[in-house]
Amino acid sequence: MTDTTQNPETDPLPRRRSRFRATLVRDRKAQAGLAVLILFVIGAVFAPLLSPFDPNAMTLDMMSGLSWTHPLGTDDLGRDLLSRILHGTRVSLFIGISTVGIALAIGIALGLVAGYFGGWLDLLIMRYIDLQWAFPNFIIAVYLVAVFGTGLLNVIVALSLAFIDDFARVARSMTLSLREEQYVDAARTLGFSKGRTLFIHILPNAVAPIIVQATVSVSYAILGEASLSFLGLGVDAYTPTWGLILADGRGFITQAWWLGVFPGLAIMLVVLAINFVGDWLRDALDVRQAVGD
Amino acid sequence: MSYILNRILSMLLTLFLISAITFAVTNILPGDVAMMIMGTQSNPEALAGLRESLGLNDPLLVQYGRWIGGMLTGDWGTSLVFKEPIAPLLLQKMTASGLIVLFSMSIALICAVPLGVWAAVHPNRWQDTASSSAALLGVSLPDFFWGIMMILLFARGLHWLPSSGFVDPGEDLLLAFRHALLPSLALGLGLMAHLTRMTRATMTGILNQEFIRVARAKGLGERTVVWRYGLANAVGPVMTVAGLQVGYLFGSIIVIESLFNYTGMGWLTYQALLNRDIPLIQASVFVIAAVVMLANLIVDLLYVLVDPRIRLS
């Protein structure tokens, strides 16, 4: 017995699946986006195998242009740009995904609890969300990294804390509307526990707008990491990330254009791809309708 | 009226909570104000004396009370790095940042609204693709990337505009504008992209509605239908999004002002954080939150002016 059989308005799973396929066949941008993302994930996973050089190995071959040995040129310290970007893909994608993962888990939990239980809990959580709303996400991240220090873990924690309110808001508004649905009433009447009602009956039906929010947030997290690195508040000076490569190269761009163009291109391709996939997911999951219900 | 009062009260409550949290978090920082003033190599006895005279040995709650009392009476303390009273310093930097925030918002709106409308009027045609692609390009790179490109093009390449620095509008208005233009463009580009997408989405929804069909059926010109009937209804939502982006802009100015060495609020906050200037960190974070909340309130109030159907409650 699933909630979908009780509520014919929600998409049954098989129909949803075929809808994914049907919308993807028509959507060229989403196909391109998926292809780019898959390529970058492969690049990230196999970075040590694919990189021609050690990303941190300095050579005397400084700021040399594109060649067979250095397909994307080298930077001011003679490090191979292709190897650095490939290794940077690992870190940047990891930060993007783990940040959103953490923000999603905490944000959804807060939103579900606030929307379902209401009362003083809702008041308390909403007060917190309003509080965070007053701070621009990036300022929260800068503030936290500056206070607690740089490093991979701190960057991820700072960025994910900054995104919590976005997810909590979406989850709360979905829960508020779903709480009144008949099948949720039915679950309550049958005596199911609150946890079961929340996670088995409400959450799966609130998932569509959350997925859309998550895709957009991954791109924001990647851009956020780049900006943090630019300020010197990134992972560290030795771990190449796209933001750090771009920040390191900014003084030399007039002499070596590749130092600005290639890391910029990597960020742009991935963010564009995520946006295209996000648009497709929004259409496939019919989010606007779901939110409007 | 009671709505506005309610909003202001809830804003004050939020600000109060923010002040408590920033105060608590900055006190977790290693080192304290006394050590910042005298340096880490200072004589322990002198340090203890200074701590006592600054009241750093009092319980945190007492220190917080003293700080909040100072904030309310206009005594915001003295910056450790700039050795200046904080309140006038913040006011001056806020004016500098206000200039580029307003500038970039205007640039973004002037470009985004026509682009978005243009795309919505020609759905799925080349106009739509062109405008959407331009918008996507704007959001898919970090602000500082566009900033660097603009420095290369307009400052180093064409020598049209200065690449860095800030000039007080009170001293030389034209020069101040010239210095503010590049940072504003770099800030405005990302914003423009957001607003173009938003305008397109809103307008597409509106142009499919009954009253538009009726207006066309009445034989009204396409221009009147789109701009007078369509856009008039899109102004509210677009304005709301623009208002929400004020927060986003205040996030971006940290990077952009550092890149352009434009000494505004973002630059100041960054310097305060880098140098662990505790009183300045507390005050600037507080002021940014207040400004962002105020901007959101103003947008909500403007919404009522633009759309008389909305009743605040």
Side-chain angles (χ1 to χ4, degrees), chain A residues 29 127 130-131 133-139 142-149 220 223 226-228 230-233 243 246-247 250 253-254 260-261 263-265 267-269 271-272 275-276 279 282 288, chain B residues 10 13-14 17-18 21-22 25-26 28-30 132 136-137 139-145 148-149 152 156 194 197 244 247-248 250-252 254-255 258-259 270 273-274 276 281 285 288-289 292-293 296:
Chain A
K29 283 195 268 186
R127 181 55 53 201
D130 276 346
L131 197 101
W133 195 247
F135 282 110
N137 282 352
F138 188 62
I139 290 198
V142 168
Y143 184 69
L144 289 173
V145 176
V147 168
F148 295 105
Y220 285 154
L223 293 175
S227 295
L228 281 176
F230 182 80
L231 289 176
L233 297 173
L246 206 50
R250 77 170 189 271
I253 289 180
T254 34
V261 168
L265 207 63
I267 298 179
M268 193 184 82
L269 279 175
V271 174
L272 273 179
N275 272 301
F276 287 157
D279 285 350
R282 193 189 54 212
R288 211 165 296 159
Chain B
S10 124
L13 183 64
T14 311
L17 289 173
I18 284 174
I21 292 175
T22 32
V25 173
T26 30
I28 302 174
L29 284 170
S132 307
L136 264 176
L137 208 65
V139 276
S140 52
L141 277 162
D143 303 308
F144 68 85
F145 181 84
I148 294 171
M149 290 301 138
L152 288 182
R156 301 259 174 83
H194 276 294
R197 298 187 89 186
L244 287 177
Y248 159 83
F250 269 93
S252 303
I254 296 195
V255 177
S258 302
L259 173 67
Y270 182 51
L273 283 166
L274 274 191
R276 312 233 143 164
I281 294 176
V285 167
I288 288 177
V292 171
M293 276 194 282
N296 288 344

Side-chain angles (χ1 to χ4, degrees), chain A residues 210-230:
Chain A
I210 293 170
I211 290 179
V212 173
Q213 176 71 39
T215 39
V216 183
S217 298
V218 171
S219 64
Y220 285 154
I222 291 173
L223 293 175
E225 181 278 321
S227 295
L228 281 176
S229 291
F230 182 80

Side-chain angles (χ1 to χ4, degrees), chain A residues 21-39:
Chain A
R21 214 170 301 141
T23 43
L24 184 61
V25 171
R26 268 181 281 135
D27 193 341
R28 282 222 200 106
K29 283 195 268 186
Q31 293 166 10
L34 273 179
V36 168
L37 285 185
I38 290 170
L39 272 179

Side-chain angles (χ1 to χ4, degrees), chain B residues 221-266:
Chain B
E222 191 59 21
R223 192 169 295 187
T224 321
V225 171
V226 171
W227 295 98
R228 258 198 63 72
Y229 283 61
L231 190 61
N233 283 283
V235 167
V238 170
M239 217 175 59
T240 307
V241 174
L244 287 177
Q245 298 298 323
V246 171
Y248 159 83
L249 282 181
F250 269 93
S252 303
I253 56 172
I254 296 195
V255 177
I256 290 297
E257 290 187 352
S258 302
L259 173 67
F260 286 94
N261 214 6
Y262 187 90
T263 51
M265 199 62 204

Side-chain angles (χ1 to χ4, degrees), chain B residues 108-109 111-121 191-207 227 231 234-235 237-239 241:
Chain B
L109 278 172
C111 301
V113 171
L115 266 178
V117 172
W118 196 48
V121 172
L191 190 63
M192 186 193 99
H194 276 294
L195 293 179
T196 305
R197 298 187 89 186
M198 181 64 198
T199 310
R200 182 195 174 276
T202 315
M203 275 301 275
T204 310
I206 288 169
L207 290 178
W227 295 98
L231 190 61
V235 167
V238 170
M239 217 175 59
V241 174

Side-chain angles (χ1 to χ4, degrees), chain B residues 166-182:
Chain B
F166 162 74
V167 173
D168 192 343
E171 284 169 23
D172 186 338
L173 197 63
L174 187 69
L175 203 61
F177 270 27
R178 283 171 57 87
H179 277 88
L181 198 55
L182 279 189

Side-chain angles (χ1 to χ4, degrees), chain A residues 37-218:
Chain A
L37 285 185
I38 290 170
L39 272 179
F40 270 92
V41 169
I42 292 175
V45 171
F46 298 105
L49 294 175
L50 293 171
S51 305
F53 294 92
D54 175 348
N56 284 319
M58 291 182 247
T59 62
L60 290 173
D61 209 4
M62 285 171 278
M63 289 207 276
S64 71
L66 319 194
S67 63
W68 286 112
T69 22
H70 300 292
L72 302 183
T74 62
D75 67 2
D76 55 306
L77 297 173
R79 297 173 294 194
D80 180 56
L81 193 59
L82 175 64
S83 310
R84 286 183 71 71
I85 289 181
L86 274 171
H87 277 85
T89 309
R90 290 190 133 184
V91 191
S92 292
L93 287 187
F94 180 69
I95 290 177
I97 293 166
S98 52
T99 293
V100 171
I102 297 171
L104 188 112
I106 303 177
I108 288 178
L110 285 178
L112 279 178
V113 167
Y116 187 73
F117 293 103
W120 66 270
L121 254 175
D122 185 32
L123 212 68
L124 193 77
I125 293 174
M126 273 315 281
R127 181 55 53 201
Y128 167 72
I129 294 175
D130 276 346
L131 197 101
Q132 207 182 328
W133 195 247
F135 282 110
N137 282 352
F138 188 62
I139 290 198
I140 299 179
V142 168
Y143 184 69
L144 289 173
V145 176
V147 168
F148 295 105
T150 55
L152 184 62
L153 187 67
N154 284 5
V155 167
I156 290 174
V157 170
L159 282 170
S160 46
L161 281 178
F163 287 126
I164 286 177
D165 58 330
D166 302 339
F167 288 102
R169 248 169 218 279
V170 176
R172 177 177 176 271
S173 70
M174 285 305 291
T175 314
L176 276 180
S177 62
L178 291 172
R179 194 175 62 175
E180 309 303 329
E181 293 280 342
Q182 269 183 353
Y183 62 87
V184 176
D185 259 347
R188 262 191 300 244
T189 319
L190 285 170
F192 291 155
S193 71
K194 286 182 177 131
R196 177 165 175 170
T197 315
L198 265 178
F199 287 99
I200 313 260
H201 296 270
I202 291 185
L203 186 58
N205 289 296
V207 105
I210 293 170
I211 290 179
V212 173
Q213 176 71 39
T215 39
V216 183
S217 298
V218 171

